[in-house]
Amino acid sequence: RAALEKKKARFAHVKEFQAKQKAEGAGADAAPAAGVEGKGEEDGGEGKGDSGSEAGGGDDERADADEDGEEESKGDDDLAVFDKAIAGKEAILEQARAIAEEASRVPPSPLVVYPDEQTLDSYGKLRIPFTFKPQEPEEMEVAFRLVWDNEKCEDVEVLVKGRGVKVPLYVEDLVMDFNTCIHDKLYRAPLVLRNRGNIALKVTTEVPPCLRDGAVEFTPKMGFVQAVDRTTGEPGRFEIQMKFRPGANLLKRCKKFANMQLQTIAVPIRVVAPDQVLPVTFTLVAKVTSSAIEFDPPSIDFGNCFISQNVAVPVTLTNTSTL
C-alpha cells in the first residue's frame, strides 16, 4: 500500500505539471502576432530551429504526461482493488469472531429455576431445588417468599445468592487466520488452550464434517490442560498443532461457511471438555486459491523458418491465482 501511495503522489506531481503547461499555452496564444514576427526576423534561421527544438521538447513532455496520466488511472484502480480486498478481509474476520462468540454463548434461559408449587407433609421435610443459570460473569442476589395455603402460617423469605464466573477452559485466539492458502499445500498453526480453573481438564478436538478427509488435523487429538498456577496466577497452557491442507473442492464442501466471491471460508470448530458443560469454539479463516499458470497456446510451433531469419510467436500467460 505504501508503494501505491508513493505512486499516487507522483501522479499528483504530473497533474501539477500538466496544469502549468496548460497555463503557459494559454499565455502564448494571447501574445500579439507582430511581436512573434519581429522576433523571427531578428533571430533568423537559428530562431526557427530553437523554436522547433522547444516544440519537440514540449511534445515529449506532453507525451510523458499523457503516459503518466494513464499510469495514474491504473494506480487509482490498483488502490481501489487493494482497499476493497482489505475491507473484504476485515469483514470476514469480523464475521469469524461473531461466529465463535455465538457458538460459545449460552442459550437464553431464566437466571434461577425453581418449582412453582410443592407440598410439605406434617412433621416432614421438604427440599426445594434452586437452579442457577448465569448468562455472563455476574453476581446475583434474589429474595424469594414461600407462601403457604394455610393462613395461620406466616410467609417465609429466602435469600438466594449466586456468582457466575467465566468458564475454566478457553482458547487464546477466537480466530485462527491462515491468510491465503494454495490448494493441496500443508499449513500449520498452534492452537493454544488455557485453563483458569483449579483442576486439570481433559480436552478433545472435533473436526467439522466439511473439513474432514484430511483438510484439518489436530496433533494430539486429546490432552490435559493443567490448572492455574497458584503462585503466579497464570492460567494453565496446552498447545495443539493444527494442520490445514485445503483441497480444490473445499469451497463447495464448506459452502455454508464460504464467501464464493472472496474465495474465503470461516468455519467454527469445537474443542470439547467432558468436565465443562459449555464447549469452547474458535473459527478457522482462510482464503483458498490455486497456483496454476495457463499458457496459450500450450505448445509453440514456429513452422518453417529460413536460416538466419527470426520468427516470433506470441504466448499469453494467465495467472489463475489470487497471489
Side-chain angles (χ1 to χ4, degrees), residues 218-292:
F218 293 99
T219 305
K221 297 180 180 179
M222 183 272 291
F224 287 86
V225 188
Q226 298 303 314
V228 64
D229 191 328
R230 297 182 182 274
T231 305
T232 62
E234 182 181 1
R237 187 178 187 276
F238 184 68
E239 186 173 301
I240 298 177
Q241 284 296 322
M242 183 176 176
K243 300 179 182 179
F244 180 54
R245 190 192 298 270
N249 62 341
L250 183 64
L251 287 175
K252 293 182 180 179
R253 286 164 46 195
C254 301
K255 60 182 180 180
K256 181 180 178 182
F257 309 102
N259 186 321
M260 295 298 182
Q261 184 178 1
L262 297 176
Q263 299 182 8
T264 306
I265 61 171
V267 183
I269 300 178
R270 297 176 60 182
V271 179
V272 180
D275 296 330
Q276 180 172 298
V277 177
L278 189 65
V280 178
T281 305
F282 67 95
T283 305
L284 181 150
V285 176
K287 183 174 184 177
V288 293
T289 182
S290 65
S291 60

Side-chain angles (χ1 to χ4, degrees), residues 142-318:
V142 181
F144 291 89
R145 176 176 295 179
L146 301 180
V147 180
W148 313 99
D149 55 2
N150 189 341
E151 297 180 355
K152 296 181 179 181
C153 297
E154 296 182 357
D155 297 343
V156 179
E157 288 190 357
V158 179
L159 184 63
V160 178
K161 296 182 179 181
R163 183 164 61 95
V165 297
K166 294 182 179 180
V167 293
L169 187 67
Y170 65 97
V171 291
E172 264 193 359
D173 298 318
L174 285 176
V175 177
M176 295 284 290
D177 187 6
F178 281 87
N179 295 309
T180 302
C181 302
I182 298 175
H183 293 158
D184 300 323
K185 298 294 183 181
L186 179 62
Y187 301 87
R188 301 172 186 265
L191 172 63
V192 180
L193 300 173
R194 291 285 192 170
N195 181 10
R196 59 170 70 93
N198 296 322
I199 59 173
L201 293 176
K202 177 183 176 182
V203 294
T204 57
T205 55
E206 291 185 358
V207 180
C210 64
L211 294 178
R212 291 172 186 172
D213 299 332
V216 169
E217 294 180 2
F218 293 99
T219 305
K221 297 180 180 179
M222 183 272 291
F224 287 86
V225 188
Q226 298 303 314
V228 64
D229 191 328
R230 297 182 182 274
T231 305
T232 62
E234 182 181 1
R237 187 178 187 276
F238 184 68
E239 186 173 301
I240 298 177
Q241 284 296 322
M242 183 176 176
K243 300 179 182 179
F244 180 54
R245 190 192 298 270
N249 62 341
L250 183 64
L251 287 175
K252 293 182 180 179
R253 286 164 46 195
C254 301
K255 60 182 180 180
K256 181 180 178 182
F257 309 102
N259 186 321
M260 295 298 182
Q261 184 178 1
L262 297 176
Q263 299 182 8
T264 306
I265 61 171
V267 183
I269 300 178
R270 297 176 60 182
V271 179
V272 180
D275 296 330
Q276 180 172 298
V277 177
L278 189 65
V280 178
T281 305
F282 67 95
T283 305
L284 181 150
V285 176
K287 183 174 184 177
V288 293
T289 182
S290 65
S291 60
I293 296 179
E294 298 178 352
F295 290 82
D296 185 28
S299 61
I300 302 175
D301 184 9
F302 287 98
N304 296 329
C305 180
F306 295 104
I307 297 174
S308 302
Q309 182 182 8
N310 295 328
V311 177
V313 175
V315 178
T316 303
L317 280 70
T318 303

